[in-house]
Amino acid sequence: MMVTQNGPVALLVGAGDAIGAAVARRFAIGGYKIRIARREAAKSQKLVEELKGIGADVAVFSVDARKEIEVQDLFARVEETAGPVEVCLFNAGSNVNKPITETTDKLFFKAWELACFAGFLVGREAAKYMLKRGRGTMLFTGATASLRGGPGYAAFAAAKFGLRGVAQAMARELGPKNIHVVHLIIDAGINSEAIHQRMKAATGIEANEIPPDSLTETSSVAEAYWFAHQQTKDGWTHELDLRPAGENW
């Protein structure tokens, strides 16, 4: 499938090889110019080549989303060289699991800084540009930990609770100004190499032994984001949860 892109920009911050890559593919097919930001741009080179192979306008930047100046420079560069950021995804986070007595101050702060503070910086910068044009969509990736803190997840849950609060406050403030803010709770394991390795380490199960439909496909997450972005203003979703049918919730 070849795509033609003359439209606006989808800027994906913290776009790794699973959800971020899938969202990049979906919005590229939808006609958007794709700009990816992650700490190590080289890790997205295969994705860039894949998307260019179908005719997509795509570029990747090395950015530490925890650094205000780097986030500001990112938006300025993208707006100047690619065009208006119509869609902004924040997908960064660090899923850490440590007993509370082993959760150091540095670990707790790092989890909050990456999953919550960086989300605030990205959302604030996106708002500055979107408010000028009176339109835009912001997408924030949440998790089970956005709703409840499980054993060992004090740091991660605190960060994800915080990000949910940031997104909710932004939605209430910016919605009346025609900026759609969406928080998507991924209450599931994502079908990815990282999850396969984690499951094998925990249970010894191989990837080909995982029961069908027990993990959520990255393409399903991407379709949910695309759906939310396509909603008309009279029927906006702020929060959407996503899980396999067999997930215990």
Side-chain angles (χ1 to χ4, degrees), residues 73-108:
D73 288 346
L74 169 67
F75 274 86
R77 284 183 67 187
V78 170
E79 288 268 338
E80 181 179 351
T81 62
V85 176
E86 188 80 10
V87 178
C88 180
L89 165 68
F90 179 77
N91 191 62
S94 178
N95 190 342
V96 294
N97 183 352
K98 285 280 188 182
I100 192 66
T101 55
E102 298 176 22
T103 301
T104 65
D105 57 340
K106 291 182 180 179
L107 187 151
F108 188 94

mmCIF file of all heavy atoms in Angstrom, residues 73-108:
data_model
loop_
_atom_site.group_PDB
_atom_site.id
_atom_site.type_symbol
_atom_site.label_atom_id
_atom_site.label_comp_id
_atom_site.label_asym_id
_atom_site.label_seq_id
_atom_site.Cartn_x
_atom_site.Cartn_y
_atom_site.Cartn_z
ATOM 1 N N ASP A 73 12.355 22.849 21.642
ATOM 2 C CA ASP A 73 13.086 22.833 20.375
ATOM 3 C C ASP A 73 12.456 21.851 19.393
ATOM 4 O O ASP A 73 12.401 22.107 18.186
ATOM 5 C CB ASP A 73 14.554 22.463 20.604
ATOM 6 C CG ASP A 73 15.345 23.588 21.268
ATOM 7 O OD1 ASP A 73 14.833 24.725 21.305
ATOM 8 O OD2 ASP A 73 16.464 23.326 21.740
ATOM 9 N N LEU A 74 11.983 20.703 19.907
ATOM 10 C CA LEU A 74 11.348 19.707 19.055
ATOM 11 C C LEU A 74 10.128 20.294 18.349
ATOM 12 O O LEU A 74 9.997 20.187 17.118
ATOM 13 C CB LEU A 74 10.928 18.493 19.886
ATOM 14 C CG LEU A 74 10.020 17.476 19.181
ATOM 15 C CD1 LEU A 74 10.775 16.772 18.058
ATOM 16 C CD2 LEU A 74 9.457 16.470 20.185
ATOM 17 N N PHE A 75 9.235 20.898 19.106
ATOM 18 C CA PHE A 75 8.023 21.457 18.503
ATOM 19 C C PHE A 75 8.359 22.569 17.516
ATOM 20 O O PHE A 75 7.761 22.645 16.426
ATOM 21 C CB PHE A 75 7.072 21.965 19.583
ATOM 22 C CG PHE A 75 6.172 20.901 20.137
ATOM 23 C CD1 PHE A 75 6.599 20.093 21.180
ATOM 24 C CD2 PHE A 75 4.901 20.712 19.626
ATOM 25 C CE1 PHE A 75 5.777 19.093 21.695
ATOM 26 C CE2 PHE A 75 4.066 19.731 20.135
ATOM 27 C CZ PHE A 75 4.502 18.911 21.170
ATOM 28 N N ALA A 76 9.320 23.412 17.874
ATOM 29 C CA ALA A 76 9.701 24.504 16.981
ATOM 30 C C ALA A 76 10.246 23.964 15.660
ATOM 31 O O ALA A 76 9.894 24.457 14.575
ATOM 32 C CB ALA A 76 10.731 25.398 17.656
ATOM 33 N N ARG A 77 11.091 22.942 15.715
ATOM 34 C CA ARG A 77 11.669 22.352 14.509
ATOM 35 C C ARG A 77 10.606 21.697 13.644
ATOM 36 O O ARG A 77 10.583 21.865 12.424
ATOM 37 C CB ARG A 77 12.733 21.312 14.874
ATOM 38 C CG ARG A 77 14.051 21.884 15.332
ATOM 39 C CD ARG A 77 15.053 20.759 15.600
ATOM 40 N NE ARG A 77 15.428 20.051 14.373
ATOM 41 C CZ ARG A 77 16.184 18.957 14.349
ATOM 42 N NH1 ARG A 77 16.618 18.441 15.493
ATOM 43 N NH2 ARG A 77 16.510 18.389 13.213
ATOM 44 N N VAL A 78 9.727 20.941 14.272
ATOM 45 C CA VAL A 78 8.691 20.233 13.513
ATOM 46 C C VAL A 78 7.735 21.218 12.859
ATOM 47 O O VAL A 78 7.388 21.081 11.686
ATOM 48 C CB VAL A 78 7.945 19.239 14.415
ATOM 49 C CG1 VAL A 78 6.720 18.672 13.711
ATOM 50 C CG2 VAL A 78 8.869 18.102 14.856
ATOM 51 N N GLU A 79 7.304 22.213 13.615
ATOM 52 C CA GLU A 79 6.380 23.198 13.066
ATOM 53 C C GLU A 79 7.013 23.962 11.905
ATOM 54 O O GLU A 79 6.349 24.275 10.915
ATOM 55 C CB GLU A 79 5.949 24.169 14.168
ATOM 56 C CG GLU A 79 5.010 23.575 15.197
ATOM 57 C CD GLU A 79 3.550 23.777 14.831
ATOM 58 O OE1 GLU A 79 3.254 24.697 14.043
ATOM 59 O OE2 GLU A 79 2.695 23.025 15.341
ATOM 60 N N GLU A 80 8.296 24.242 12.008
ATOM 61 C CA GLU A 80 8.980 25.025 10.980
ATOM 62 C C GLU A 80 9.276 24.197 9.736
ATOM 63 O O GLU A 80 9.156 24.694 8.609
ATOM 64 C CB GLU A 80 10.286 25.592 11.545
ATOM 65 C CG GLU A 80 11.061 26.444 10.549
ATOM 66 C CD GLU A 80 12.342 27.016 11.121
ATOM 67 O OE1 GLU A 80 12.560 26.904 12.352
ATOM 68 O OE2 GLU A 80 13.137 27.569 10.337
ATOM 69 N N THR A 81 9.661 22.948 9.919
ATOM 70 C CA THR A 81 10.141 22.151 8.790
ATOM 71 C C THR A 81 9.094 21.209 8.202
ATOM 72 O O THR A 81 9.198 20.821 7.036
ATOM 73 C CB THR A 81 11.365 21.307 9.205
ATOM 74 O OG1 THR A 81 10.987 20.395 10.251
ATOM 75 C CG2 THR A 81 12.495 22.202 9.697
ATOM 76 N N ALA A 82 8.085 20.818 8.990
ATOM 77 C CA ALA A 82 7.108 19.841 8.511
ATOM 78 C C ALA A 82 5.700 20.404 8.385
ATOM 79 O O ALA A 82 4.940 19.987 7.512
ATOM 80 C CB ALA A 82 7.079 18.619 9.432
ATOM 81 N N GLY A 83 5.352 21.347 9.264
ATOM 82 C CA GLY A 83 4.014 21.915 9.223
ATOM 83 C C GLY A 83 3.326 21.824 10.567
ATOM 84 O O GLY A 83 3.924 21.422 11.570
ATOM 85 N N PRO A 84 2.053 22.191 10.609
ATOM 86 C CA PRO A 84 1.328 22.246 11.881
ATOM 87 C C PRO A 84 1.123 20.869 12.501
ATOM 88 O O PRO A 84 0.743 19.920 11.812
ATOM 89 C CB PRO A 84 -0.017 22.868 11.492
ATOM 90 C CG PRO A 84 -0.170 22.575 10.043
ATOM 91 C CD PRO A 84 1.211 22.599 9.471
ATOM 92 N N VAL A 85 1.378 20.779 13.801
ATOM 93 C CA VAL A 85 1.152 19.529 14.536
ATOM 94 C C VAL A 85 -0.341 19.419 14.837
ATOM 95 O O VAL A 85 -0.871 20.123 15.690
ATOM 96 C CB VAL A 85 1.977 19.481 15.837
ATOM 97 C CG1 VAL A 85 1.641 18.224 16.636
ATOM 98 C CG2 VAL A 85 3.465 19.522 15.517
ATOM 99 N N GLU A 86 -0.992 18.533 14.113
ATOM 100 C CA GLU A 86 -2.432 18.330 14.275
ATOM 101 C C GLU A 86 -2.723 17.297 15.358
ATOM 102 O O GLU A 86 -3.718 17.377 16.064
ATOM 103 C CB GLU A 86 -3.037 17.853 12.953
ATOM 104 C CG GLU A 86 -4.544 17.782 12.937
ATOM 105 C CD GLU A 86 -5.195 19.135 12.706
ATOM 106 O OE1 GLU A 86 -4.492 20.107 12.367
ATOM 107 O OE2 GLU A 86 -6.412 19.219 12.872
ATOM 108 N N VAL A 87 -1.812 16.303 15.484
ATOM 109 C CA VAL A 87 -1.966 15.219 16.445
ATOM 110 C C VAL A 87 -0.663 15.060 17.208
ATOM 111 O O VAL A 87 0.412 15.032 16.612
ATOM 112 C CB VAL A 87 -2.296 13.881 15.743
ATOM 113 C CG1 VAL A 87 -2.408 12.756 16.761
ATOM 114 C CG2 VAL A 87 -3.568 13.998 14.934
ATOM 115 N N CYS A 88 -0.768 14.961 18.523
ATOM 116 C CA CYS A 88 0.415 14.744 19.355
ATOM 117 C C CYS A 88 0.151 13.573 20.295
ATOM 118 O O CYS A 88 -0.790 13.601 21.084
ATOM 119 C CB CYS A 88 0.755 15.997 20.159
ATOM 120 S SG CYS A 88 2.227 15.791 21.213
ATOM 121 N N LEU A 89 0.986 12.553 20.178
ATOM 122 C CA LEU A 89 0.905 11.390 21.063
ATOM 123 C C LEU A 89 2.021 11.463 22.092
ATOM 124 O O LEU A 89 3.182 11.674 21.751
ATOM 125 C CB LEU A 89 1.057 10.100 20.252
ATOM 126 C CG LEU A 89 1.343 8.821 21.060
ATOM 127 C CD1 LEU A 89 0.138 8.420 21.899
ATOM 128 C CD2 LEU A 89 1.747 7.669 20.140
ATOM 129 N N PHE A 90 1.662 11.264 23.373
ATOM 130 C CA PHE A 90 2.676 11.080 24.415
ATOM 131 C C PHE A 90 2.597 9.638 24.880
ATOM 132 O O PHE A 90 1.580 9.209 25.426
ATOM 133 C CB PHE A 90 2.467 12.027 25.600
ATOM 134 C CG PHE A 90 3.500 11.814 26.677
ATOM 135 C CD1 PHE A 90 4.783 12.300 26.524
ATOM 136 C CD2 PHE A 90 3.194 11.090 27.825
ATOM 137 C CE1 PHE A 90 5.759 12.079 27.491
ATOM 138 C CE2 PHE A 90 4.149 10.854 28.792
ATOM 139 C CZ PHE A 90 5.440 11.349 28.626
ATOM 140 N N ASN A 91 3.694 8.913 24.679
ATOM 141 C CA ASN A 91 3.685 7.472 24.903
ATOM 142 C C ASN A 91 4.838 7.005 25.791
ATOM 143 O O ASN A 91 5.093 5.813 25.905
ATOM 144 C CB ASN A 91 3.747 6.760 23.541
ATOM 145 C CG ASN A 91 3.483 5.280 23.627
ATOM 146 O OD1 ASN A 91 2.401 4.861 24.035
ATOM 147 N ND2 ASN A 91 4.465 4.471 23.260
ATOM 148 N N ALA A 92 5.546 7.948 26.417
ATOM 149 C CA ALA A 92 6.713 7.581 27.214
ATOM 150 C C ALA A 92 6.308 7.046 28.580
ATOM 151 O O ALA A 92 5.246 7.379 29.107
ATOM 152 C CB ALA A 92 7.635 8.787 27.385
ATOM 153 N N GLY A 93 7.154 6.218 29.153
ATOM 154 C CA GLY A 93 6.895 5.680 30.485
ATOM 155 C C GLY A 93 7.891 4.601 30.832
ATOM 156 O O GLY A 93 8.551 4.041 29.961
ATOM 157 N N SER A 94 8.011 4.321 32.115
ATOM 158 C CA SER A 94 8.937 3.294 32.578
ATOM 159 C C SER A 94 8.197 2.387 33.555
ATOM 160 O O SER A 94 7.910 2.758 34.693
ATOM 161 C CB SER A 94 10.147 3.940 33.275
ATOM 162 O OG SER A 94 11.028 2.962 33.776
ATOM 163 N N ASN A 95 7.870 1.195 33.080
ATOM 164 C CA ASN A 95 7.076 0.254 33.881
ATOM 165 C C ASN A 95 7.977 -0.479 34.873
ATOM 166 O O ASN A 95 8.496 -1.550 34.587
ATOM 167 C CB ASN A 95 6.377 -0.746 32.957
ATOM 168 C CG ASN A 95 5.359 -1.597 33.703
ATOM 169 O OD1 ASN A 95 5.383 -1.692 34.926
ATOM 170 N ND2 ASN A 95 4.474 -2.229 32.960
ATOM 171 N N VAL A 96 8.176 0.126 36.041
ATOM 172 C CA VAL A 96 9.059 -0.449 37.051
ATOM 173 C C VAL A 96 8.238 -1.178 38.122
ATOM 174 O O VAL A 96 7.161 -0.741 38.507
ATOM 175 C CB VAL A 96 9.941 0.635 37.711
ATOM 176 C CG1 VAL A 96 10.904 1.204 36.686
ATOM 177 C CG2 VAL A 96 9.088 1.752 38.303
ATOM 178 N N ASN A 97 8.770 -2.290 38.583
ATOM 179 C CA ASN A 97 8.103 -3.092 39.607
ATOM 180 C C ASN A 97 9.127 -3.441 40.682
ATOM 181 O O ASN A 97 10.021 -4.246 40.451
ATOM 182 C CB ASN A 97 7.524 -4.364 38.979
ATOM 183 C CG ASN A 97 6.744 -5.207 39.987
ATOM 184 O OD1 ASN A 97 6.754 -4.930 41.184
ATOM 185 N ND2 ASN A 97 6.066 -6.225 39.511
ATOM 186 N N LYS A 98 9.005 -2.804 41.852
ATOM 187 C CA LYS A 98 9.924 -3.024 42.967
ATOM 188 C C LYS A 98 9.144 -3.027 44.276
ATOM 189 O O LYS A 98 8.218 -2.227 44.449
ATOM 190 C CB LYS A 98 10.969 -1.902 43.036
ATOM 191 C CG LYS A 98 12.063 -1.969 41.981
ATOM 192 C CD LYS A 98 13.137 -2.970 42.354
ATOM 193 C CE LYS A 98 14.319 -2.900 41.393
ATOM 194 N NZ LYS A 98 15.342 -3.909 41.724
ATOM 195 N N PRO A 99 9.500 -3.902 45.205
ATOM 196 C CA PRO A 99 8.882 -3.814 46.536
ATOM 197 C C PRO A 99 9.083 -2.415 47.107
ATOM 198 O O PRO A 99 10.094 -1.756 46.812
ATOM 199 C CB PRO A 99 9.649 -4.864 47.346
ATOM 200 C CG PRO A 99 10.163 -5.826 46.327
ATOM 201 C CD PRO A 99 10.467 -5.003 45.107
ATOM 202 N N ILE A 100 8.172 -1.965 47.912
ATOM 203 C CA ILE A 100 8.220 -0.595 48.412
ATOM 204 C C ILE A 100 9.513 -0.309 49.167
ATOM 205 O O ILE A 100 10.066 0.785 49.073
ATOM 206 C CB ILE A 100 6.980 -0.285 49.302
ATOM 207 C CG1 ILE A 100 6.880 1.214 49.589
ATOM 208 C CG2 ILE A 100 6.993 -1.111 50.566
ATOM 209 C CD1 ILE A 100 6.608 2.067 48.361
ATOM 210 N N THR A 101 10.031 -1.307 49.899
ATOM 211 C CA THR A 101 11.256 -1.075 50.668
ATOM 212 C C THR A 101 12.496 -1.030 49.778
ATOM 213 O O THR A 101 13.566 -0.605 50.231
ATOM 214 C CB THR A 101 11.446 -2.172 51.734
ATOM 215 O OG1 THR A 101 11.412 -3.451 51.099
ATOM 216 C CG2 THR A 101 10.352 -2.081 52.790
ATOM 217 N N GLU A 102 12.349 -1.448 48.528
ATOM 218 C CA GLU A 102 13.461 -1.389 47.577
ATOM 219 C C GLU A 102 13.290 -0.277 46.549
ATOM 220 O O GLU A 102 14.118 -0.119 45.657
ATOM 221 C CB GLU A 102 13.603 -2.735 46.854
ATOM 222 C CG GLU A 102 13.929 -3.897 47.777
ATOM 223 C CD GLU A 102 13.967 -5.220 47.041
ATOM 224 O OE1 GLU A 102 14.153 -5.213 45.804
ATOM 225 O OE2 GLU A 102 13.792 -6.271 47.695
ATOM 226 N N THR A 103 12.219 0.496 46.697
ATOM 227 C CA THR A 103 11.965 1.613 45.782
ATOM 228 C C THR A 103 12.737 2.830 46.272
ATOM 229 O O THR A 103 12.348 3.471 47.252
ATOM 230 C CB THR A 103 10.465 1.926 45.704
ATOM 231 O OG1 THR A 103 9.757 0.766 45.248
ATOM 232 C CG2 THR A 103 10.202 3.070 44.742
ATOM 233 N N THR A 104 13.831 3.127 45.613
ATOM 234 C CA THR A 104 14.675 4.243 46.032
ATOM 235 C C THR A 104 14.052 5.574 45.616
ATOM 236 O O THR A 104 13.163 5.626 44.760
ATOM 237 C CB THR A 104 16.066 4.128 45.401
ATOM 238 O OG1 THR A 104 15.940 4.256 43.977
ATOM 239 C CG2 THR A 104 16.716 2.789 45.747
ATOM 240 N N ASP A 105 14.570 6.637 46.203
ATOM 241 C CA ASP A 105 14.084 7.953 45.827
ATOM 242 C C ASP A 105 14.384 8.246 44.355
ATOM 243 O O ASP A 105 13.561 8.829 43.640
ATOM 244 C CB ASP A 105 14.695 9.028 46.725
ATOM 245 C CG ASP A 105 16.224 9.028 46.713
ATOM 246 O OD1 ASP A 105 16.826 8.002 46.327
ATOM 247 O OD2 ASP A 105 16.818 10.058 47.085
ATOM 248 N N LYS A 106 15.526 7.790 43.880
ATOM 249 C CA LYS A 106 15.894 8.024 42.485
ATOM 250 C C LYS A 106 14.967 7.263 41.541
ATOM 251 O O LYS A 106 14.557 7.790 40.507
ATOM 252 C CB LYS A 106 17.348 7.624 42.242
ATOM 253 C CG LYS A 106 18.355 8.540 42.928
ATOM 254 C CD LYS A 106 19.777 8.125 42.620
ATOM 255 C CE LYS A 106 20.769 9.060 43.306
ATOM 256 N NZ LYS A 106 22.181 8.659 43.039
ATOM 257 N N LEU A 107 14.638 6.022 41.877
ATOM 258 C CA LEU A 107 13.750 5.230 41.037
ATOM 259 C C LEU A 107 12.363 5.860 40.985
ATOM 260 O O LEU A 107 11.756 5.972 39.918
ATOM 261 C CB LEU A 107 13.672 3.799 41.557
ATOM 262 C CG LEU A 107 12.905 2.773 40.702
ATOM 263 C CD1 LEU A 107 13.472 1.376 40.905
ATOM 264 C CD2 LEU A 107 11.413 2.772 41.012
ATOM 265 N N PHE A 108 11.853 6.273 42.151
ATOM 266 C CA PHE A 108 10.519 6.873 42.211
ATOM 267 C C PHE A 108 10.482 8.152 41.378
ATOM 268 O O PHE A 108 9.557 8.367 40.586
ATOM 269 C CB PHE A 108 10.146 7.180 43.658
ATOM 270 C CG PHE A 108 8.714 7.627 43.835
ATOM 271 C CD1 PHE A 108 7.724 6.712 44.142
ATOM 272 C CD2 PHE A 108 8.368 8.962 43.683
ATOM 273 C CE1 PHE A 108 6.406 7.123 44.288
ATOM 274 C CE2 PHE A 108 7.056 9.379 43.832
ATOM 275 C CZ PHE A 108 6.072 8.454 44.133
#
